Amino acid sequence: MNSNKLLTILSLAILAGCQSTTAETPLTASLCTTGDTSSTGLNEATFDKAVLDCGGYEIFTDDMIIDQQLVFSFSNGKKQRELVLMENGTGKYTKLEKGTTEAIRWKLEDSGNLRLEFEDGYQWAWRLLEQEGAQMAVKSYGYTSDGNHHDILSMVVTNKTEINVTKE
């Protein structure tokens, strides 16, 4: 992914706020955005503080993320994204409005946090703040490989796989 494009996307997400791809729910309405910002001065400690200021975090489990269609959006739903993670530590990040897909690598850390790495070196850490049904409140910290851009942002991620299984 071109770093400039990613920076623009993440900056728009912070300015406009991340929104769920579904209708307003209690989880969406109560999403903690404390500490969400964009700055070169951010680091893991800043991210940790933002997560703690939102009440701490829960852990991701394999069944929550592996082979699941995780959908979220930026810019009030205009920039929809899909994330599918395979058991072998690879995954696909798709920009749905453009129809483009990138290969990524991922790992579930010992602490239960999710770490994503893009081909261009962009790193994205996810912490689960809360889960309600097929939706997860996530606080994330992303940064470019050159260190020029860092973002902390909150979003609601919808597990479309879980929704589809529930409907059947």
Side-chain angles (χ1 to χ4, degrees):
M1 173 184 281
N2 179 315
S3 291
N4 289 335
K5 288 180 188 174
L6 187 57
L7 295 174
T8 301
I9 291 167
L10 292 175
S11 295
L12 288 171
I14 286 173
L15 293 174
C18 288
Q19 304 294 320
S20 168
T21 57
T22 61
E24 181 88 358
T25 66
L27 187 60
T28 304
S30 67
L31 182 64
C32 178
T33 58
T34 301
D36 288 10
T37 188
S38 179
S39 169
T40 56
L42 302 176
N43 55 38
E44 290 282 342
T46 312
F47 178 47
D48 290 342
K49 182 176 179 348
V51 170
L52 289 175
D53 287 348
C54 283
Y57 68 94
E58 299 178 23
I59 63 168
F60 284 104
T61 59
D62 289 344
D63 61 328
M64 294 168 75
I65 58 173
I66 295 176
D67 296 325
Q68 304 299 303
Q69 181 186 12
L70 306 175
V71 179
F72 51 98
S73 66
F74 302 119
S75 298
N76 295 319
K78 295 177 185 165
K79 295 183 182 284
Q80 292 190 353
R81 302 294 187 254
E82 177 183 88
L83 183 64
V84 177
L85 307 174
M86 280 68 84
E87 191 170 356
N88 67 359
T90 64
K92 296 184 298 184
Y93 179 82
T94 303
K95 295 176 183 176
L96 296 174
E97 78 281 355
K98 291 183 179 183
T100 59
T101 300
E102 289 181 65
I104 61 169
R105 300 211 42 87
W106 70 275
K107 70 178 178 176
L108 199 55
E109 298 175 329
D110 292 341
S111 59
N113 299 317
L114 178 61
R115 183 147 317 254
L116 309 169
E117 182 177 344
F118 291 78
E119 290 177 335
D120 66 358
Y122 187 81
Q123 300 283 322
W124 204 8
W126 284 22
R127 299 239 178 105
L128 177 63
L129 299 179
E130 183 180 355
Q131 181 182 15
E132 191 173 295
Q135 292 192 319
M136 296 176 274
V138 173
K139 187 164 291 283
S140 67
Y141 170 53
Y143 54 94
T144 57
S145 59
D146 62 9
N148 285 334
H149 198 82
H150 298 253
D151 291 297
I152 295 175
L153 60 95
S154 302
M155 61 193 164
V156 173
V157 178
T158 301
N159 184 332
K160 292 289 189 174
T161 304
E162 187 174 317
I163 290 173
N164 292 336
V165 169
T166 304
K167 286 182 181 177
E168 294 177 356

